[in-house]
Amino acid sequence: MSKLKIAIQKSGRLYEESLQLLKDCGIFVNNGKDQLKVSVDNFPMEIMYLRNSDIPQYLEDGVVDIAIVGENLLAEKQKNIQIVEKLGFSKCRVSLAVPKEVETDDLSYFQGKKIATSYPNTLKNFLDREGITSDIHIISGSVEIAPNIGLADGICDIVSSGSTLFKNGLRETVTLLKSEAVLAKTSVLNPEKEIILNKFLFRIQSVLRAKNSKYILMNVPNDKISDIASVLPVLKSPTVIPLAEKGWSSIHSVIDEERFWDVIDELKENGAQDILIIPIDKMVI
């Protein structure tokens, strides 16, 4: 039987979270990044640990079938690669930043200026769309020091918390694109491996739904059940269980993490009491 070859960043911010996702999907890896290739015993998959910058080329060439990689890298490398699922972790953005003493946030500041970056394609495409002409200096690593040593008037780099910019006397002005970890696949995946990918993708989606949802239980007066049910964004309909105390029932349902507190407030306003929230490990639909 064929094995699906997945590329994972050998080191860096995506490494730990990628392995955790595999573990949450029931795919256990006994050894790690000291080896280039690792087989999985309980799923038809091989894991390849690669340098982050090499992954898009390996995908395009079909050396690996799928990969967990940042959207920002795919945008920069401009390869023929399909994103099949956004994974919700390692979120960041590619942004322009200037020395903190520069008062304007306007993009026009960069007209005719020098910009240091390790994302030249992303930057050039953005500037071309906006009609800005700048002198792009390509740097590998430590882009944020360029203005301090007089190499550039600003930078274009990935930003997460912004702490690195702050430490180097810079501030973020314009966001070029937002990024997160994604599952991407090669364009030359054969039908047998496509079946394996669909099984893997089903597991991923079950894990992601669970992370974005909470199981909720509450006690409700029977005359308020319809009001409470109308508030709950349930999959089908809430589960209603009569309590030993006459006139009361227990309602069970699932709510989205994003709407959590708004829903809780509405439930309390409509008579819900003794509300319990339970995390969900997996959610299969």
Side-chain angles (χ1 to χ4, degrees):
M1 182 179 182
S2 296
K3 289 192 173 185
L4 196 66
K5 295 180 180 178
I6 179 172
I8 290 177
Q9 192 178 78
K10 188 174 183 180
S11 61
R13 63 193 182 93
L14 286 178
Y15 170 73
E16 294 290 346
E17 289 179 289
S18 297
L19 287 185
Q20 184 61 51
L21 177 63
L22 293 181
K23 183 178 179 181
D24 291 341
C25 290
I27 298 169
F28 298 100
V29 184
N30 295 322
N31 40 12
K33 59 183 178 181
D34 291 335
Q35 291 183 284
L36 175 63
K37 184 170 71 172
V38 177
S39 293
V40 175
D41 293 334
N42 64 342
F43 193 80
M45 176 180 284
E46 286 183 338
I47 300 171
M48 296 185 70
Y49 296 98
L50 303 174
R51 288 194 310 173
N52 191 45
S53 59
D54 292 338
I55 291 176
Q57 188 64 58
Y58 276 58
L59 271 173
E60 185 174 62
D61 293 343
V63 177
V64 296
D65 304 310
I66 59 174
I68 298 175
V69 65
E71 282 181 285
N72 56 302
L73 183 63
L74 296 181
E76 174 61 27
K77 295 297 184 180
Q78 300 178 338
K79 301 296 184 181
N80 182 26
I81 297 166
Q82 179 184 347
I83 294 174
V84 293
E85 187 72 33
K86 293 192 175 186
L87 302 176
F89 58 83
S90 292
K91 292 185 177 181
C92 65
R93 52 200 178 274
V94 178
S95 294
L96 288 163
V98 299
K100 60 183 179 181
E101 59 268 19
V102 175
E103 295 182 356
T104 182
D105 287 351
D106 199 281
L107 185 60
S108 62
Y109 165 81
F110 292 97
Q111 181 68 39
K113 297 289 199 307
K114 297 177 182 177
I115 307 175
T117 187
S118 54
Y119 292 88
N121 293 325
T122 302
L123 177 58
K124 185 178 185 306
N125 291 339
F126 176 79
L127 294 177
D128 288 347
R129 289 197 304 269
E130 298 294 330
I132 300 295
T133 302
S134 300
D135 185 5
I136 298 175
H137 286 247
I138 303 174
I139 297 178
S140 297
S142 302
V143 173
E144 62 276 356
I145 69 170
N148 291 330
I149 61 176
L151 182 62
D153 302 294
I155 69 167
C156 176
D157 202 10
I158 59 170
V159 179
S160 295
S161 66
S163 60
T164 301
L165 294 180
F166 180 79
K167 290 175 183 177
N168 287 274
L170 303 173
R171 62 182 187 84
E172 188 177 2
T173 57
V174 180
T175 298
L176 281 63
L177 64 87
K178 293 183 179 180
S179 172
E180 64 184 88
V182 297
L183 184 71
K185 74 171 185 176
T186 181
S187 61
V188 293
L189 197 64
N190 67 47
E192 187 176 1
K193 289 187 176 182
E194 193 78 51
I195 293 172
I196 302 172
L197 172 58
N198 288 335
K199 291 181 179 179
F200 180 46
L201 189 58
F202 176 79
R203 296 189 185 194
I204 288 176
Q205 291 169 344
S206 297
V207 169
L208 295 180
R209 287 191 200 100
K211 287 183 177 180
N212 294 326
S213 304
K214 299 291 184 184
Y215 192 79
I216 184 170
L217 304 84
M218 71 206 81
N219 294 332
V220 177
N222 286 344
D223 60 356
K224 294 289 186 179
I225 290 177
S226 60
D227 294 334
I228 293 294
S230 67
V231 172
L232 292 170
V234 295
L235 300 177
K236 287 187 173 65
S237 63
T239 300
V240 180
I241 303 173
L243 296 180
E245 184 175 347
K246 188 176 180 181
W248 286 80
S249 294
S250 175
I251 291 184
H252 299 207
S253 187
V254 174
I255 60 176
D256 294 332
E257 182 73 36
E258 291 182 358
R259 291 195 58 208
F260 178 80
W261 289 112
D262 291 336
V263 172
I264 293 298
D265 289 340
E266 289 186 65
L267 292 174
K268 290 177 65 179
E269 290 171 3
N270 282 278
Q273 298 181 18
D274 308 322
I275 300 173
L276 298 179
I277 309 299
I278 302 173
I280 302 173
D281 185 46
K282 306 287 188 298
M283 196 161 84
V284 179
I285 298 177

